[in-house]
């Protein structure tokens, strides 16, 4: 397994999603996931005891903004649906399948490397006319 991508400041790969979509995802390290978890916690007091709870919606928004870099093939009302911070928040909180996909894939270095390799193979086949 080639680990060179772990040394980069930002390792990204296009990953297929759904029938026609693909998402550019930045690898999110365990340390960064922990930081996102900390930022997404709410603190309250019950019976004079401190209680910390994870705000799942906030966690999804923070994770989406941290690792979703771009997408292709997404539309709304027949129009292209651009990848903006607000639209990332929208799909992370309203589209369960997308939120699950991002939560699973962003920290899976092996899968991102595989997706990058598969895209490179596909692109080389297309450019050499072997499509």
């Amino acid at each position: 397994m080639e680990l060179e991508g772990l040394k980069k400041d930002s390792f990204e790969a296009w990953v297929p999603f759904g029938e026609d979509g693909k998402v550019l995802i930045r690898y999110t390290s365990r340390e960064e996931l922990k930081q996102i978890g900390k930022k997404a916690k709410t603190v309250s007091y019950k019976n004079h005891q401190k209680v910390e709870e994870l705000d799942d919606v906030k966690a999804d928004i923070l994770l989406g903004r941290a690792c979703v870099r771009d997408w292709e093939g997404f539309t709304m009302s027949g129009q292209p649906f651009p990848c903006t911070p607000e639209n990332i928040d929208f799909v992370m909180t309203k589209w369960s399948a997308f939120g699950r996909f991002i939560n699973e894939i962003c920290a899976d270095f092996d899968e991102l490397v595989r997706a990058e390799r598969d895209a490179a193979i596909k692109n080389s086949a297309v450019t050499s006319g072997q499509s």
Side-chain angles (χ1 to χ4, degrees), residues 41-59:
K41 283 188 179 171
T42 59
V43 177
S44 61
Y45 291 88
K46 294 181 184 174
N47 297 327
H48 305 289
Q49 297 290 322
K50 182 178 174 181
V51 177
E52 292 183 350
E53 294 179 303
L54 180 67
D55 180 338
D56 292 332
V57 172
K58 186 173 182 180

Side-chain angles (χ1 to χ4, degrees), residues 74-131:
F74 290 17
T75 60
M76 183 174 278
S77 301
Q79 299 298 313
F81 191 65
C83 183
T84 65
E86 296 77 19
N87 288 347
I88 292 169
D89 297 350
F90 178 78
V91 296
M92 285 297 292
T93 58
K94 301 291 185 184
W95 191 3
S96 298
F98 186 82
R100 258 190 325 274
F101 168 73
I102 296 302
N103 272 278
E104 291 171 5
I105 194 88
C106 72
D108 190 339
F109 182 75
D110 295 343
E111 189 60 35
L112 291 172
V113 168
R114 188 175 304 113
E116 180 184 59
R117 185 184 62 237
D118 291 350
I121 291 169
K122 181 179 178 185
N123 289 338
S124 69
V126 169
T127 57
S128 66
Q130 299 174 357
S131 161

Side-chain angles (χ1 to χ4, degrees), residues 3-73:
L3 301 177
E4 186 66 27
L6 289 173
K7 293 173 77 175
K8 295 180 182 178
D9 288 336
S10 182
F11 177 75
E12 299 176 347
W14 283 98
V15 181
F17 179 76
E19 292 180 25
D20 300 323
K22 62 181 180 176
V23 183
L24 180 60
I25 299 175
R26 184 181 67 82
Y27 171 68
T28 309
S29 68
R30 292 177 51 84
E31 299 95 51
E32 188 173 358
L33 289 173
K34 288 178 185 178
Q35 290 301 316
I36 289 170
K38 284 181 184 179
K39 289 178 185 176
K41 283 188 179 171
T42 59
V43 177
S44 61
Y45 291 88
K46 294 181 184 174
N47 297 327
H48 305 289
Q49 297 290 322
K50 182 178 174 181
V51 177
E52 292 183 350
E53 294 179 303
L54 180 67
D55 180 338
D56 292 332
V57 172
K58 186 173 182 180
D60 280 347
I61 287 171
L62 292 170
L63 183 65
R65 288 200 178 197
C67 68
V68 175
R69 293 294 182 231
D70 199 1
W71 60 51
E72 294 179 2

